[in-house]
Amino acid sequence: MPPEKSDLLQGTLDMLILKVVALGPIHGYGVSLRIRQISKEVLQVQQGSLYPALHRLEKRGWIEAEWGESEHGRQARFYKLSARGRKQLAAEEMNWRRLAEAVGLILETAR
Amino acid sequence: MPWWRSFFWKRSREPELDRELRFHIEELTEANLAAGMTPEEARRQAMLEFGGCEQIKEDLRDVHRVAILDRTLANLRAGFRFMRKSPSFSITVILTLALGIGANSAVFSAIDAILLRPLPFPDGDRLMRLAQSNRRIKDPESAVAPVRLEDWNRINSTFQAIAGYYTEDESESSGALPEKLTRALVTPRFLQVLGVSPVLGRDFAPDEERFGGTNAALISDRFWRRRFSADPNAVGKRLRYAGNPITIVGVMPASFLFPERGVDLWSAVPMDAPYGQSRESTWFRVIGRLKPGVTVGQARADLATVQAHLGREYPKTDANLDVSVQPLKETTVGGVRRSLWMLYGSVSLLLLIACTNIAALLLSRAAHRQHEIAIRFSLGASRREVVAQLLTEALLLAVTGAALGLLIAKGAAILFRSAGQYVPRVEEIGLDWRLGLYTLACAVTATLLFALVPAIRATRGGLAGSLAQASRTQVSARNPLQLVLVGVQVALAVTLLAGAGLLVRSFQALGRVAPGFEASHVLTFHVTGNYGETADMKSLTQRIQRTLDSLRSVPGVEATATAATLPGVPTQWGAELKVVEAAMDPSRKIMAESRFVSPGYFETLRIPLLAGQMCRETTGSFNIVVNRSFANTYFAQTSLVGRHLQMPTNGFLPPGEVRGVVGDAREMGINVAPVPTVYWCVSAPMPDPYYLVRTRADPMSMAQTIRRKMHETDPARSVFEIMPLEEQLDDAFAENRLLTVLLGFFALTAVSLASIGLYGMLSYFVSVRRRETGLRLALGALPAQILRHFLLQGLGVTLLGCIAGLGLAAALTRLLAGMLYGVSPSDATTLFGVILMVVALAAVASLVPAFRAARVQPMQVLREE
């Protein structure tokens, strides 16, 4: 029985994608796989959210796409982080940490 | 990806999208296979896990689509908000653009209808005008004899058909009162050449085109509506034209206005008439339709061969003739081309000034908007987005202005049609989708012209720049761009003003000319007559002499005359003459203009007799008088009176005896110096010559009396085109006058715009530098110094603009050269006057803000800090 899956906040998904893409060029299938693996199956991204998010990020210029060959020799669309995306990721990570810290503080105190 | 690629979204991205999603499904399938599922199961599970592929694709499309749509909508919304928030600014911009774009579209509608579109006939570009010209006559084109026209049509190999026509004005007397109708007499093949057929009834039948056949007529739509209230049964009815019954066989379409607007009916000329067989007849103006694929050059070469052949066959009459072939459109509209492009040039300059003006306005407003722009930057908008928003706002203003401009253009089309009677094809001007597109293009171009630079400047430096540039600085940066923009406006205005000034001065010079005849108190008109009457010249002459006599008997009439042409209205009829008594001297050719006038002409126009006697009308031979130029040029030593002159190129004209010498008159146009001229004294040079009547009182006050008298004398004829000679002379310059008036109007608008621009720029400078000014005053500067500073800034930029404008004017007024009379394109007085006017206006425009600056209260400024 896998652990219960959590829904992701819209902004959070973008940040996670940026983070995963930051690890090196990766295709959409890879992103969904990686998020699942790293989160130990807690977070599962629906394809219906993943691809629009990828394209939105690309449109904003935070990630860039390029056709390449996958590990199985198929043509896949690989995404990699742009310079602007790197800045954005740093900003979002910082925001997230502060938010998580604040939420944590509240949860601690309210205990 | 550039933004515009979003519009091509589907084509470029759809397969990519498919491939990307397919890859995902294939990977899932692969994973499922690895987990030990059967291939079918693996694929099914993969599809299941992946979810609705189409749904995802649609979402993806939205990602790309929504962005641009959303942004445009948001920008538009912001644009409307902006318009509501600053109504006076928006109205100023909209009205300025409405005027600029409206004037531009109006002139373009004329250019499009008159110059750009083909003639309103099927394959109109294959229609040619053909003419014969005699190498020994200066008259560029003379009419063509019926037999020669038929020869051309028969022998040539490049035309589908060649046809001819001429017009005459006669009375139609089947109604209660005789009515003057204009009839075009046309050769067979006329409608075939033009490619038009009657909307009602039929073209001429062969029986109606031969001598002694049935008289038939096609009538114009206008006449059909006027006389028959558009009754379809009009076909088959009879008219009584020039005393002969004539049957209506068809009605032409309303758009068919060939050869001229006023034609009421068309009849066929019998080409086999015994009186029409002379090769020296001058009957027809000729048109032809080229075969498909034939060039004008080929047609010219072909007809040159044909005419050379005819020259060998009929050396006496055809050896000296050349045939000219020109596109019919060119001969129809060529005359107004320059004026139209000139107008277009000036309205484009005007639009450019308007754009410059608005650009300067936007630049000075950018200060107000810096805060807003800074906020947008800080909210994460990119520079491109902000520029796009600013441009959308501008485009909104421009499109609103352009819509108003279209209304102006529509109004102008009506104006054109009523004022421009002498402009060819003017009835084709109107509002259509081409004009709509053009106006929209104007709006977009104008937007880029006036909004791009201010938008780019306003967003320069992004967030940091716009926050730092807040208006808190003590001394504002110099703003050279605004100075340049105002300078450009002044330069363009000076150019327009110089052109208009030269035209006005040219008219002044024209007004000072002594034409050698007295045009005031002379009434001109026509009395209907037809070429059939020329079969009996004696009775035609008697008829016209009788008419002149009865006119002379009207109280208040001082003198009467007839003439084939009007004095001072441009006509050319130059030909070589020879003295019958002397051997032809090939080294001293006698070239002279010929005029055909009744003996009363000189008394009526008060052209003085200088030597010899006045001419008399004689039967059998001609009397001639010559003008002073003729006598001085060719017969300075010998006496001319009593000798006979002959026109060798005209077989119909017998020699005439020179009776006297009269003063020089500007026969060929008020703006053309008199040339050697020979007056042949004949009352009936044609069936409906011009009648000239010198009246004691205002000529138009006699119009009714004369009309009545003419009706008593000859009830079957009608009098038409009654107008004073002065008006006829004015009409000869109507095109130039209209051009002058319009150019003057544009120039004044341009100067006002430039002045407003200068005023706006200085006002802005003054307001931006209020603190600085206050400080300087507090530190001891005199108000006069402040005043001088701003005044000199305004005048300085004006002077630089004037210098640039003079350079531009020097280059552009050369285009006017052929239209000017008595003033050179670089006329110093005009240019000096223009500069004086512009500088005076600039001084006024600068003084107001300069005074405002000088009255700044230092204490108040310092307290505001």
Side-chain angles (χ1 to χ4, degrees), chain B residues 294-336:
Chain B
V294 172
T295 66
V296 182
Q298 286 165 338
R300 281 189 187 129
D302 179 33
L303 273 188
T305 319
V306 168
Q307 186 55 39
H309 168 77
L310 292 176
R312 281 191 299 279
E313 200 165 334
Y314 310 99
K316 191 163 164 287
T317 53
D318 281 55
N320 282 322
L321 294 185
D322 289 323
V323 187
S324 73
V325 178
Q326 293 209 67
L328 183 60
K329 183 177 153 192
E330 189 51 40
T331 61
T332 312
V333 304
V336 295

Side-chain angles (χ1 to χ4, degrees), chain A residues 47 51 55 74 77 79, chain B residues 16 20 24 26 30 64:
Chain A
Q47 281 74 11
Y51 282 95
H55 281 235
R74 291 204 184 86
R77 206 153 181 266
Y79 295 90
Chain B
E16 251 187 74
E20 186 173 13
H24 195 115
E26 281 163 5
E30 195 93 12
H64 294 271

Side-chain angles (χ1 to χ4, degrees), chain B residues 429-711:
Chain B
I429 299 175
L431 212 59
D432 60 0
W433 62 269
R434 278 162 73 112
L435 191 63
L437 272 188
Y438 175 82
T439 309
L440 194 65
C442 261
V444 172
T445 315
T447 306
L448 291 178
L449 276 177
F450 73 74
L452 197 58
V453 173
I456 287 174
R457 276 179 67 103
T459 56
R460 196 166 50 187
L463 178 57
S466 54
L467 280 180
Q469 245 185 33
S471 53
R472 286 176 206 280
T473 37
Q474 293 298 336
V475 181
S476 66
R478 291 286 178 273
N479 227 335
L481 187 60
Q482 265 150 312
L483 287 173
V484 169
L485 287 180
V486 169
V488 167
Q489 289 180 51
V490 171
L492 296 178
V494 163
T495 312
L496 275 180
L497 210 52
L502 286 173
L503 283 173
V504 169
R505 297 252 309 155
S506 163
F507 266 106
Q508 283 175 343
L510 217 50
R512 284 194 298 269
V513 164
F517 63 90
E518 264 189 54
S520 64
H521 291 90
V522 175
L523 192 66
T524 68
F525 54 90
H526 285 285
V527 175
T528 51
N530 68 76
Y531 282 93
E533 294 179 65
T534 55
D536 184 356
M537 282 309 287
K538 201 169 153 198
S539 75
L540 174 64
T541 309
Q542 278 170 357
R543 194 256 295 171
I544 288 180
Q545 280 172 340
R546 217 168 39 238
T547 311
L548 285 175
D549 286 345
S550 74
L551 281 171
R552 187 74 183 80
S553 71
V554 175
V557 169
E558 290 185 337
T560 60
T562 54
T565 53
L566 285 177
V569 176
T571 329
Q572 266 203 358
W573 222 95
E576 190 182 343
L577 297 177
K578 85 178 221 224
V579 181
V580 177
E581 286 83 1
M584 195 86 155
D585 182 354
S587 66
R588 280 189 75 240
K589 274 192 180 179
I590 303 177
M591 289 297 294
E593 279 289 310
S594 283
R595 288 294 179 269
F596 300 86
V597 301
S598 74
Y601 185 77
F602 307 98
E603 189 197 351
T604 309
L605 291 171
R606 302 212 166 136
I607 299 172
L609 179 70
L610 302 178
Q613 288 174 308
M614 214 19 111
C615 61
R616 285 193 310 261
E617 184 141 32
T618 48
T619 41
S621 76
F622 273 114
N623 269 359
I624 285 177
V625 292
V626 299
N627 71 353
R628 183 160 58 182
S629 297
F630 185 88
N632 288 350
T633 311
Y634 298 115
F635 297 91
Q637 270 80 44
T638 53
S639 166
L640 186 58
V641 175
R643 299 219 196 176
H644 288 77
L645 290 174
Q646 194 183 7
M647 196 186 292
T649 51
N650 188 328
F652 289 117
L653 203 62
E657 181 194 349
V658 180
R659 303 280 297 177
V661 179
V662 294
D664 281 343
R666 298 195 165 210
E667 288 281 352
M668 293 172 70
I670 302 293
N671 56 347
V672 182
V675 295
T677 304
V678 172
Y679 294 96
W680 305 76
C681 294
V682 45
S683 306
M686 56 213 281
D688 62 334
Y690 284 101
Y691 288 76
L692 297 132
V693 173
R694 174 163 291 280
T695 58
R696 214 162 288 141
D698 169 42
M700 275 320 271
S701 70
M702 298 290 290
Q704 272 317 312
T705 321
I706 285 173
R707 229 183 245 283
R708 236 182 341 250
K709 183 73 182 176
M710 295 311 301
H711 189 63

Side-chain angles (χ1 to χ4, degrees), chain B residues 44 73 104 125 159 161 346 386 428 447 508 559 575 622 708 838:
Chain B
R44 210 181 60 83
L73 278 179
N104 204 279
D125 49 349
F159 284 85
S346 44
V386 176
E428 294 172 45
T447 306
Q508 283 175 343
F622 273 114
R708 236 182 341 250
V838 170

Side-chain angles (χ1 to χ4, degrees), chain A:
Chain A
M1 183 89 191
E4 203 173 323
K5 286 167 189 162
S6 289
D7 280 339
L8 280 169
L9 289 167
Q10 164 85 49
T12 322
L13 174 61
D14 287 1
M15 182 181 70
L16 293 184
I17 292 175
L18 285 178
K19 184 75 194 172
V20 169
V21 171
L23 301 175
I26 188 166
H27 44 68
Y29 177 69
V31 173
S32 76
L33 223 54
R34 194 67 66 83
I35 290 181
R36 204 158 61 195
Q37 285 165 0
I38 299 177
S39 71
K40 305 210 173 72
E41 307 277 320
V42 173
L43 297 175
Q44 183 149 14
V45 186
Q46 293 300 314
Q47 281 74 11
S49 326
L50 173 69
Y51 282 95
L54 278 170
H55 281 235
R56 204 165 43 237
L57 295 177
E58 184 195 352
K59 186 119 185 114
R60 283 194 194 145
W62 292 339
I63 57 179
E64 287 157 3
E66 211 174 43
W67 285 93
E69 206 160 275
S70 78
E71 46 275 35
H72 295 110
R74 291 204 184 86
Q75 282 294 307
R77 206 153 181 266
F78 282 88
Y79 295 90
K80 68 169 199 271
L81 207 60
S82 72
R84 283 177 61 196
R86 200 167 299 284
K87 260 189 248 166
Q88 180 67 22
L89 177 60
E92 288 198 17
E93 264 183 78
M94 203 167 74
N95 266 341
W96 177 262
R97 293 232 166 79
R98 275 167 51 200
L99 182 68
E101 212 171 297
V103 173
L105 274 175
I106 292 169
L107 293 180
E108 289 296 323
T109 337
R111 180 170 293 197

